[in-house]
Amino acid sequence: MSANIVFIGLGNMGLPMAQNLVKAGFAVSGHDLVKASVDKLVETGGKTEADSMAAVAKADVVITMLPASRHVESLYLGDAGVLASAKPGTLLIDCSTIAPEAARKVAAAAKARGFEMLDAPVSGGTNGATAGTLTFMVGGSTAAFEAAQPYLQKMGKAIYHAGESGSGQTVKVCNNMLLGILMIGTSEAIRLGIANGMDPKVLSEIMSKSSGRNWTLEVYNPCPGVMDTAPASKGYAGGFGVDLMLKDLGLAVENALATNCAIPLGSAARNLYDIHSMNGAGKLDFSSIFNMLGKAGKVG
């Protein structure tokens, strides 16, 4: 495979995604403000250039994975940004999690310049990024969605076309709001069991086979020692950070205000994660909310 890909944003998610493209045989030029991340990509077969926009000018595909809406808008819309630098026909894929309205704004600017652009946020965490089993929620034209398949299929297992531009971000906002709510509810339930003398492993096993089963309980258990592969059993290191969950819940609240939609549980979850972050847990995995909800408990 000879497609020339520029991948901008080599964080906890972006780096393994880019590495999977390299493993698939694509020529990948990686760029990030953190040199160590770029070095890791180069060590595993990727490459880089001193001038990221010079690399973009030669690319067939540009993929971005950035922290927030403002970063995406700045990178794409700036006078020396991606839209100003890319050659005609370059496919643009933004995998960041940003506001749906920001995705639509950038996509409209891309379309005005003749580019096909997709908003393609992901779900599946760092383990999914490493394994190439991410879920992609994609917004954009059918033509762009089809053109992106050779690349998305090397990074993900489930790839869904959600609709027009902004639709992928809408699905991601809804999904992560529900994820934040479920993590809090799961943590509360396990804490209640512990307070009554239950073994959290036994409790989790039974609930995972009952009507309260959910992804956070079965795959990403927040109680230390219940699931060896979960961040909870690794000091809540790695995974999906509290501050990232807080950002996504903030996007949900902003979107709810813009669309006049009631999200009382989403708003409550956002407030709890805000308190957790202000207490110094911003860099820990979001499942560490388990600790905030049970300081007097027997675990954590």
Side-chain angles (χ1 to χ4, degrees), residues 115-129:
F115 295 107
E116 290 279 11
M117 183 168 187
L118 297 171
D119 51 284
V122 302
S123 179
T126 53
N127 288 338

PDB file of all heavy atoms in Angstrom, residues 115-129:
ATOM      1  N   PHE A 115     -12.369  20.001  -0.825  1.00  0.00           N
ATOM      2  CA  PHE A 115     -11.901  18.797  -0.132  1.00  0.00           C
ATOM      3  C   PHE A 115     -13.061  17.969   0.407  1.00  0.00           C
ATOM      4  O   PHE A 115     -14.087  18.513   0.831  1.00  0.00           O
ATOM      5  CB  PHE A 115     -11.001  19.165   1.049  1.00  0.00           C
ATOM      6  CG  PHE A 115      -9.708  19.824   0.666  1.00  0.00           C
ATOM      7  CD1 PHE A 115      -9.514  21.180   0.896  1.00  0.00           C
ATOM      8  CD2 PHE A 115      -8.683  19.094   0.084  1.00  0.00           C
ATOM      9  CE1 PHE A 115      -8.326  21.800   0.556  1.00  0.00           C
ATOM     10  CE2 PHE A 115      -7.488  19.703  -0.264  1.00  0.00           C
ATOM     11  CZ  PHE A 115      -7.309  21.064  -0.029  1.00  0.00           C
ATOM     12  N   GLU A 116     -12.884  16.656   0.440  1.00  0.00           N
ATOM     13  CA  GLU A 116     -13.776  15.760   1.155  1.00  0.00           C
ATOM     14  C   GLU A 116     -13.243  15.633   2.581  1.00  0.00           C
ATOM     15  O   GLU A 116     -12.055  15.399   2.788  1.00  0.00           O
ATOM     16  CB  GLU A 116     -13.822  14.377   0.502  1.00  0.00           C
ATOM     17  CG  GLU A 116     -14.528  14.335  -0.836  1.00  0.00           C
ATOM     18  CD  GLU A 116     -16.039  14.267  -0.691  1.00  0.00           C
ATOM     19  OE1 GLU A 116     -16.549  14.462   0.434  1.00  0.00           O
ATOM     20  OE2 GLU A 116     -16.718  14.001  -1.698  1.00  0.00           O
ATOM     21  N   MET A 117     -14.128  15.798   3.573  1.00  0.00           N
ATOM     22  CA  MET A 117     -13.698  15.710   4.965  1.00  0.00           C
ATOM     23  C   MET A 117     -14.681  14.908   5.787  1.00  0.00           C
ATOM     24  O   MET A 117     -15.904  15.016   5.612  1.00  0.00           O
ATOM     25  CB  MET A 117     -13.533  17.105   5.576  1.00  0.00           C
ATOM     26  CG  MET A 117     -13.023  17.063   7.012  1.00  0.00           C
ATOM     27  SD  MET A 117     -12.490  18.670   7.626  1.00  0.00           S
ATOM     28  CE  MET A 117     -11.769  18.164   9.204  1.00  0.00           C
ATOM     29  N   LEU A 118     -14.137  14.115   6.688  1.00  0.00           N
ATOM     30  CA  LEU A 118     -14.952  13.309   7.590  1.00  0.00           C
ATOM     31  C   LEU A 118     -14.661  13.686   9.039  1.00  0.00           C
ATOM     32  O   LEU A 118     -13.509  13.931   9.403  1.00  0.00           O
ATOM     33  CB  LEU A 118     -14.643  11.815   7.426  1.00  0.00           C
ATOM     34  CG  LEU A 118     -14.932  11.178   6.074  1.00  0.00           C
ATOM     35  CD1 LEU A 118     -14.360   9.764   6.051  1.00  0.00           C
ATOM     36  CD2 LEU A 118     -16.432  11.145   5.794  1.00  0.00           C
ATOM     37  N   ASP A 119     -15.704  13.732   9.873  1.00  0.00           N
ATOM     38  CA  ASP A 119     -15.491  13.709  11.319  1.00  0.00           C
ATOM     39  C   ASP A 119     -15.669  12.253  11.729  1.00  0.00           C
ATOM     40  O   ASP A 119     -16.705  11.652  11.467  1.00  0.00           O
ATOM     41  CB  ASP A 119     -16.435  14.651  12.071  1.00  0.00           C
ATOM     42  CG  ASP A 119     -17.904  14.478  11.722  1.00  0.00           C
ATOM     43  OD1 ASP A 119     -18.309  14.943  10.640  1.00  0.00           O
ATOM     44  OD2 ASP A 119     -18.652  13.890  12.530  1.00  0.00           O
ATOM     45  N   ALA A 120     -14.622  11.695  12.334  1.00  0.00           N
ATOM     46  CA  ALA A 120     -14.604  10.252  12.614  1.00  0.00           C
ATOM     47  C   ALA A 120     -14.063   9.962  14.007  1.00  0.00           C
ATOM     48  O   ALA A 120     -13.024   9.304  14.166  1.00  0.00           O
ATOM     49  CB  ALA A 120     -13.771   9.523  11.563  1.00  0.00           C
ATOM     50  N   PRO A 121     -14.749  10.441  15.059  1.00  0.00           N
ATOM     51  CA  PRO A 121     -14.307  10.132  16.418  1.00  0.00           C
ATOM     52  C   PRO A 121     -14.404   8.643  16.696  1.00  0.00           C
ATOM     53  O   PRO A 121     -15.094   7.912  15.974  1.00  0.00           O
ATOM     54  CB  PRO A 121     -15.279  10.938  17.287  1.00  0.00           C
ATOM     55  CG  PRO A 121     -16.507  11.080  16.444  1.00  0.00           C
ATOM     56  CD  PRO A 121     -15.999  11.208  15.032  1.00  0.00           C
ATOM     57  N   VAL A 122     -13.702   8.213  17.743  1.00  0.00           N
ATOM     58  CA  VAL A 122     -13.591   6.783  18.007  1.00  0.00           C
ATOM     59  C   VAL A 122     -14.024   6.429  19.426  1.00  0.00           C
ATOM     60  O   VAL A 122     -14.065   7.271  20.314  1.00  0.00           O
ATOM     61  CB  VAL A 122     -12.138   6.296  17.795  1.00  0.00           C
ATOM     62  CG1 VAL A 122     -11.680   6.595  16.373  1.00  0.00           C
ATOM     63  CG2 VAL A 122     -11.184   6.933  18.800  1.00  0.00           C
ATOM     64  N   SER A 123     -14.309   5.158  19.605  1.00  0.00           N
ATOM     65  CA  SER A 123     -14.579   4.590  20.922  1.00  0.00           C
ATOM     66  C   SER A 123     -13.818   3.276  21.017  1.00  0.00           C
ATOM     67  O   SER A 123     -13.620   2.594  20.018  1.00  0.00           O
ATOM     68  CB  SER A 123     -16.080   4.347  21.111  1.00  0.00           C
ATOM     69  OG  SER A 123     -16.348   3.780  22.391  1.00  0.00           O
ATOM     70  N   GLY A 124     -13.388   2.948  22.235  1.00  0.00           N
ATOM     71  CA  GLY A 124     -12.662   1.703  22.421  1.00  0.00           C
ATOM     72  C   GLY A 124     -11.429   1.845  23.284  1.00  0.00           C
ATOM     73  O   GLY A 124     -10.819   0.848  23.671  1.00  0.00           O
ATOM     74  N   GLY A 125     -11.067   3.083  23.597  1.00  0.00           N
ATOM     75  CA  GLY A 125      -9.958   3.316  24.511  1.00  0.00           C
ATOM     76  C   GLY A 125      -8.603   2.960  23.939  1.00  0.00           C
ATOM     77  O   GLY A 125      -8.463   2.567  22.776  1.00  0.00           O
ATOM     78  N   THR A 126      -7.585   3.099  24.783  1.00  0.00           N
ATOM     79  CA  THR A 126      -6.226   2.847  24.336  1.00  0.00           C
ATOM     80  C   THR A 126      -5.990   1.381  23.962  1.00  0.00           C
ATOM     81  O   THR A 126      -5.207   1.092  23.053  1.00  0.00           O
ATOM     82  CB  THR A 126      -5.220   3.268  25.423  1.00  0.00           C
ATOM     83  OG1 THR A 126      -5.565   2.648  26.668  1.00  0.00           O
ATOM     84  CG2 THR A 126      -5.228   4.784  25.611  1.00  0.00           C
ATOM     85  N   ASN A 127      -6.678   0.482  24.647  1.00  0.00           N
ATOM     86  CA  ASN A 127      -6.542  -0.938  24.295  1.00  0.00           C
ATOM     87  C   ASN A 127      -7.077  -1.190  22.890  1.00  0.00           C
ATOM     88  O   ASN A 127      -6.475  -1.924  22.097  1.00  0.00           O
ATOM     89  CB  ASN A 127      -7.278  -1.817  25.304  1.00  0.00           C
ATOM     90  CG  ASN A 127      -6.592  -1.875  26.645  1.00  0.00           C
ATOM     91  OD1 ASN A 127      -5.395  -1.615  26.759  1.00  0.00           O
ATOM     92  ND2 ASN A 127      -7.334  -2.225  27.690  1.00  0.00           N
ATOM     93  N   GLY A 128      -8.210  -0.573  22.571  1.00  0.00           N
ATOM     94  CA  GLY A 128      -8.784  -0.720  21.242  1.00  0.00           C
ATOM     95  C   GLY A 128      -7.920  -0.076  20.177  1.00  0.00           C
ATOM     96  O   GLY A 128      -7.803  -0.586  19.053  1.00  0.00           O
ATOM     97  N   ALA A 129      -7.304   1.063  20.520  1.00  0.00           N
ATOM     98  CA  ALA A 129      -6.417   1.738  19.576  1.00  0.00           C
ATOM     99  C   ALA A 129      -5.210   0.865  19.264  1.00  0.00           C
ATOM    100  O   ALA A 129      -4.780   0.754  18.115  1.00  0.00           O
ATOM    101  CB  ALA A 129      -5.973   3.081  20.141  1.00  0.00           C
TER     102      ALA A 129
END
